[in-house]
Amino acid sequence: MDKRNMKYVTSKDGTKIAYDISGSGPVLINITGASVFRNFSPVLQAVKTFSQSFTMYNYDRRGRGNSSDTKPYSTEKEVDDIEALIDAAGGKANLYGHSSGAVLALETALKLGKKVEKVVIYDAPYVHNEAGKEKYKKLANKVLTLLSEGSNKRAMKTFLSGIGMPKFFVWLLPLSPGWKIMHTLAPTLAYDIELTKDFPPLERFKGIKTPTRIFVGSKSPENIRTVGPQIAEVVPNAVFEEIDGQDHMVSAKVLLPKFKTFFDK
């Protein structure tokens, strides 16, 4: 991994969080989803695009890449990690959360209030009905069992297949440059499962006062397209938009003009 521009912040529990800064403009912290790290090619491509208009803070979530980890895990600890980055950025920042990172962005806005200026989320992957919850529980049990056996590669493939990644994509993963690092991140799948195993906490999210934009892709899974409007309905300053033609792996070039319109206001 490229360490030339890497910096660290220390979270409340002593965990070291690695990050890079690029671009110029309003500060935007990039919160990634499951199975990726800050130097994963698609993440770097997205950050490069967003850096045209924003000062991007691109970081490794705990347990990934160059960041350390401190057990036991909790959502609150990941929010503390983001708060440490916000403080490093001057005490206020905007957030962009993708997939399980969207869950963290919402939780951070709820907890930190005015420290978070604005929030954009894309494809928050909560379960949306009882059948979906039961199906995800079975997938989670398979993944956690494989992790307990030390079968990281199988756990990663099982998770990605289970959440709907195309079979050809999962089959080709071992041939990709990022796979060598990607499968070592498998233990953090337990963290993403913890974040996304339940229905969205709509009653709690009524307390989010931060201006929020909630995006989903028109080709994203049903659960994502269902819960997005539900969240937007309860967050007081939220606006929902379904982006035509986009799936879970959204194009940063499509998002950038929407970001500029929202964050520049």
Side-chain angles (χ1 to χ4, degrees):
M1 292 186 196
D2 186 356
K3 297 184 179 181
R4 288 173 295 178
N5 299 313
M6 185 172 62
K7 302 177 184 294
Y8 283 100
V9 291
T10 303
S11 196
K12 287 180 181 177
D13 68 349
T15 301
K16 298 290 186 181
I17 302 298
Y19 69 103
D20 304 310
I21 304 174
S22 60
S24 60
V27 173
L28 182 58
I29 296 176
N30 186 52
I31 311 172
T32 55
S35 77
V36 297
F37 53 102
R38 82 182 196 285
N39 281 327
F40 191 50
S41 179
V43 174
L44 287 177
Q45 290 172 13
V47 168
K48 183 179 180 181
T49 298
F50 297 143
S51 294
Q52 296 173 28
S53 299
F54 301 96
T55 300
M56 295 300 300
Y57 277 62
N58 183 32
Y59 78 103
D60 283 323
R61 285 173 52 189
R62 59 175 51 219
R64 307 181 188 196
N66 295 114
S67 291
S68 62
D69 200 2
T70 307
K71 303 295 177 65
Y73 175 79
S74 70
T75 302
E76 290 75 14
K77 287 183 177 181
E78 289 225 67
V79 172
D80 289 342
D81 300 344
I82 297 168
E83 183 174 18
L85 289 164
I86 293 172
D87 290 343
K92 290 186 177 182
N94 303 294
L95 306 180
Y96 167 51
H98 177 265
S99 195
S100 61
V103 177
L104 289 172
L106 292 171
E107 293 289 346
T108 303
L110 181 62
K111 180 181 178 182
L112 299 187
K114 292 183 179 181
K115 277 192 170 185
V116 180
E117 295 180 302
K118 293 184 179 181
V119 173
V120 167
I121 67 168
Y122 185 88
D123 273 13
Y126 296 99
V127 294
H128 69 303
N129 58 28
E130 290 294 344
K133 187 173 183 178
E134 184 60 29
K135 181 179 179 181
Y136 193 59
K137 182 179 180 180
K138 291 179 180 178
L139 172 63
N141 287 339
K142 287 182 183 178
V143 171
L144 295 175
T145 297
L146 288 169
L147 291 175
S148 70
E149 296 170 350
S151 301
N152 286 2
K153 293 179 181 179
R154 286 182 61 199
M156 183 63 75
K157 290 182 178 180
T158 298
F159 178 80
L160 294 176
S161 296
I163 63 172
M165 286 289 184
K167 290 183 179 180
F168 76 89
F169 174 83
V170 177
W171 184 81
L172 288 173
L173 267 179
L175 303 178
S176 69
W179 176 246
K180 184 176 180 180
I181 296 172
M182 190 176 178
H183 73 76
T184 66
L185 308 181
T188 64
L189 292 175
Y191 303 170
D192 297 288
I193 288 169
E194 181 66 25
L195 289 169
T196 59
K197 66 182 181 180
D198 291 315
F199 304 118
L202 299 178
E203 192 62 34
R204 284 200 302 110
F205 284 168
K206 291 179 181 179
I208 296 175
K209 306 304 181 186
T210 307
T212 304
R213 291 295 180 271
I214 298 171
F215 296 118
V216 302
S218 67
K219 296 183 178 180
S220 294
E222 180 186 4
N223 65 303
I224 286 170
R225 289 182 285 109
T226 299
V227 301
Q230 293 175 351
I231 298 169
E233 188 173 341
V234 300
V235 175
N237 295 307
V239 174
F240 172 79
E241 181 181 346
E242 184 173 291
I243 304 179
D244 188 50
Q246 294 297 304
D247 58 19
H248 195 55
M249 302 305 292
V250 63
S251 166
K253 291 181 180 179
V254 171
L255 286 180
L256 181 59
K258 297 180 183 296
F259 280 22
K260 290 172 68 176
T261 299
F262 176 49
F263 288 120
D264 287 350
K265 287 183 179 179

